[in-house]
Amino acid sequence: MGLFTKFDGLAAGRAELGALGIDPFAVKIEKIISPTEGIIHGRHTILAGTNNYLGLTFNPECIASARLALENEGTGTTGSRMANGSYSGHRNLEKELAAFYGKRDAIVFSTGYVANLGMISTLAGPGDVVLLDADCHACIYDGCRLGGAETIRFRHNDAEDLAKRLRRLGSRAAEALIVVEGIYSMLGDRAPLKEIVAVKREFGGYLMVDEAHSFGVLGERGCGLVEELGIMDDVDFIVGTFSKSLGCAGGFCVSNMPELDLIRYASRPYIFTASPAPATIASARQALRILESGKDLRQKLHDNAARLHAGLAALGYTLGGPPSPVVAVVLEGKVEALQFWDSLLKLGVYVNLMLPPATPNGVSLIRCSVSAAHTSEQIDAVCAAFAKLRTKA
Amino acid sequence: MTEYDRILADLIKGLAPFTNGKTVTENTELVGDLDLDSLKIMELLLFVEDSFDISIPVSILPDVKTVGDLAKQVEKILGNA
């Protein structure tokens, strides 16, 4: 077996796409115009698949902060915080995140992926147990694999199944790490966190919630689902990303655990990768200030999400979940989904195509993500494009 | 009958809804012979977990190719319980 033999399946899949003349995984945005518009294939296109929930990527204050940091602190840190030291911005952002969540401390990581990888792989090593929702993101699975803990899946959003598995662990349950997400990225559905917290109270364990898609989106102040449900004190670790609501890149974990700071000294994804660039940190800090300053953006986001969800539901599409900034349309087959996605792009609407095995229950999805920066006219234009394709779905 | 034989017999009996009427033996491959996709494998594992009241760790799945492999893992987990 050759080194590249393992890619035979991938090559066949790509050839299949080539035969159809569609490659949804190699889209080139020739020009980015705004948080919600770009030029693709020479065509003016509405971007409805970028997770730019608050639309802050072109915010003038974020750009000004990033520009100032770029000019004053340079283009990059050229190494990890362990080796090269932390810039004041890194630590300030950590303090601001901890204060925002009302938690003892925070750690900033280079990306959201690295945040989960770094936290989970370090918390749970050989001999430990991680229980994760079956629909958790790949970075959570990868964190488990890197750490070498015994990893057990429970049925998606099924607190009873979690309880059953904790019961099976016996005395080991008290030290198990339970990992769930606030909003799940594929279907946009929410975790039954109150029920999960009740199970944790019964059996013990530590609870980590990844709020990647709910930070800046849910809760009175935008902390996420944990805040919305009033269970902040029941969650031991909250992980999030700057690459969605904050419009830049990076990840974080906040916690009241006094041991959180020790993670820095043991987490290989923290120790052995370059720290976020000063401009990235500066724009994240500014975006966090904007998030803290009011609810206008969140309200606009939810209004847009409700408008798109209602529009697509009225067209008779099968949707993956209740209204949320992720609106997923469930389609029958892979080829049909591919052609549907391509047709949308030709109509000037960019969304995400999600195919099995990356999707829950083996479904094919056209996944839209809504932004506060979308105008009502843009949402209506997205619905109009879906309407033109209705007979094909 | 050994513990392994008992588990294997229970597994073969329990796999019936997943086999499309095909004959299942210890050497039957879950993917190769039964043509189960990842979704079906997931359903099958959930069924096996509930049947034996165990949790099967994700990390052992790459080592499970045949029904016999699955029986060995179930035996191992039950032995550690």
Side-chain angles (χ1 to χ4, degrees):
Chain A
M1 184 171 157
L3 185 63
F4 296 102
T5 309
K6 63 175 95 54
F7 301 125
D8 286 353
L10 280 179
R14 275 195 62 177
E16 199 181 326
L17 293 176
L20 289 166
I22 305 169
D23 189 349
F25 309 113
V27 173
K28 182 180 170 191
I29 299 176
E30 289 135 18
K31 182 174 165 54
I32 183 83
I33 298 169
S34 75
T36 58
E37 301 157 293
I39 304 291
I40 300 176
H41 296 161
R43 195 180 297 115
H44 192 279
T45 302
I46 298 170
L47 304 177
T50 59
N51 299 329
N52 195 349
Y53 296 129
L54 300 183
L56 292 178
T57 47
F58 280 77
N59 179 276
E61 293 168 289
C62 292
I63 290 173
S65 297
R67 185 177 285 140
L68 195 63
L70 184 65
E71 287 170 358
N72 291 341
E73 298 176 66
T75 54
T77 62
T78 66
S80 80
R81 291 170 66 181
M82 279 287 174
N84 292 21
S86 293
Y87 286 20
S88 60
H90 293 130
R91 192 61 195 133
N92 286 337
L93 178 53
E94 288 174 344
K95 287 177 185 165
E96 287 156 9
L97 281 164
F100 180 63
Y101 277 92
K103 296 285 186 184
R104 181 188 174 112
D105 206 354
I107 301 180
V108 163
F109 292 88
S110 299
T111 67
Y113 177 92
V114 170
N116 272 321
L117 202 67
M119 285 304 301
I120 297 169
S121 68
T122 311
L123 282 168
D128 297 318
V129 184
V130 182
L131 293 122
L132 76 174
D133 185 289
D135 282 6
C136 274
H137 189 267
C139 62
I140 293 171
Y141 279 89
D142 289 354
C144 295
R145 192 189 293 183
L146 182 65
E150 184 179 329
T151 305
I152 294 167
R153 286 183 291 205
F154 61 90
R155 286 181 171 92
H156 175 55
N157 275 352
D158 189 336
E160 278 185 29
D161 195 49
L162 171 65
K164 191 163 60 183
R165 289 165 192 281
L166 281 164
R167 175 184 54 74
R168 288 171 185 161
L169 284 174
S171 60
R172 296 176 77 201
E175 295 299 320
L177 178 66
I178 303 160
V179 188
V180 298
E181 298 183 24
I183 290 179
Y184 285 88
S185 60
M186 290 288 129
L187 297 177
D189 51 337
R190 301 177 185 197
L193 273 186
K194 280 196 167 175
E195 290 82 349
I196 287 168
V197 161
V199 169
K200 182 202 148 191
R201 281 184 183 153
E202 185 181 350
F203 291 93
Y206 296 88
L207 178 59
M208 175 183 284
V209 179
D210 179 0
E211 300 262 27
H213 291 269
S214 35
F215 169 48
V217 171
L218 299 179
E220 180 67 19
R221 299 172 59 250
C223 291
L225 184 60
V226 171
E227 183 197 15
E228 182 168 297
L229 298 177
I231 50 171
M232 194 63 86
D233 291 339
D234 293 293
V235 176
D236 302 292
F237 304 96
I238 295 174
V239 176
T241 179
F242 308 143
S243 63
K244 295 177 173 61
S245 286
L246 299 196
C248 52
F252 68 90
C253 176
V254 293
S255 176
N256 275 337
M257 294 283 165
E259 296 86 355
L260 183 70
D261 197 47
L262 292 172
I263 298 285
R264 296 179 200 275
Y265 299 86
S267 175
R268 297 175 69 83
Y270 176 85
I271 298 169
F272 295 107
T273 197
S275 60
T280 301
I281 292 292
S283 62
R285 292 180 68 194
Q286 184 59 45
L288 185 61
R289 282 193 280 273
I290 292 168
L291 179 60
E292 285 182 288
S293 69
K295 292 193 287 188
D296 295 358
L297 288 175
R298 273 199 303 292
Q299 190 55 54
K300 184 71 168 65
L301 171 65
H302 290 297
D303 290 347
N304 282 342
R307 192 180 187 96
L308 179 63
H309 192 277
L312 297 184
L315 291 169
Y317 284 103
T318 303
L319 303 180
S324 94
V326 176
V327 181
V329 175
V330 182
L331 296 180
E332 284 299 320
K334 190 173 155 185
V335 173
E336 183 208 3
L338 265 166
Q339 288 168 340
F340 194 98
W341 174 88
D342 189 54
S343 299
L344 277 177
L345 194 58
K346 284 173 179 154
L347 289 168
V349 175
Y350 173 75
V351 294
N352 307 126
L353 175 68
M354 300 296 182
L355 300 174
T359 51
N361 302 321
V363 296
S364 296
L365 300 173
I366 297 292
R367 177 189 180 276
C368 311
S369 58
V370 182
S371 172
H374 281 125
T375 62
S376 300
E377 291 74 22
Q378 286 175 326
I379 298 291
D380 292 345
V382 172
C383 289
F386 272 89
K388 281 185 185 166
L389 302 175
R390 182 63 192 105
T391 52
K392 295 179 184 176
Chain B
M1 192 181 237
T2 64
E3 177 72 355
Y4 171 80
D5 291 334
R6 189 187 63 76
I7 292 168
L8 182 66
D10 286 350
L11 268 182
I12 290 172
K13 197 174 160 191
L15 284 176
F18 300 92
T19 58
N20 288 325
K22 290 177 186 167
T23 304
V24 177
T25 69
E26 183 178 23
N27 298 318
T28 301
E29 290 192 7
L30 298 172
V31 176
D33 296 327
L34 297 181
D35 206 23
L36 300 180
D37 59 19
S38 55
L39 188 62
K40 283 280 178 203
I41 293 275
M42 176 85 176
E43 284 174 20
L44 184 150
L45 290 173
L46 289 168
F47 169 79
V48 172
E49 288 177 319
D50 282 346
S51 299
F52 291 92
D53 198 25
I54 57 171
S55 292
I56 300 175
V58 174
S59 57
I60 66 161
L61 300 182
D63 296 328
V64 175
K65 287 195 169 48
T66 66
V67 175
D69 293 336
L70 186 55
K72 279 179 204 154
Q73 292 296 343
V74 171
E75 183 188 22
K76 197 170 155 188
I77 294 165
L78 285 172
N80 289 338

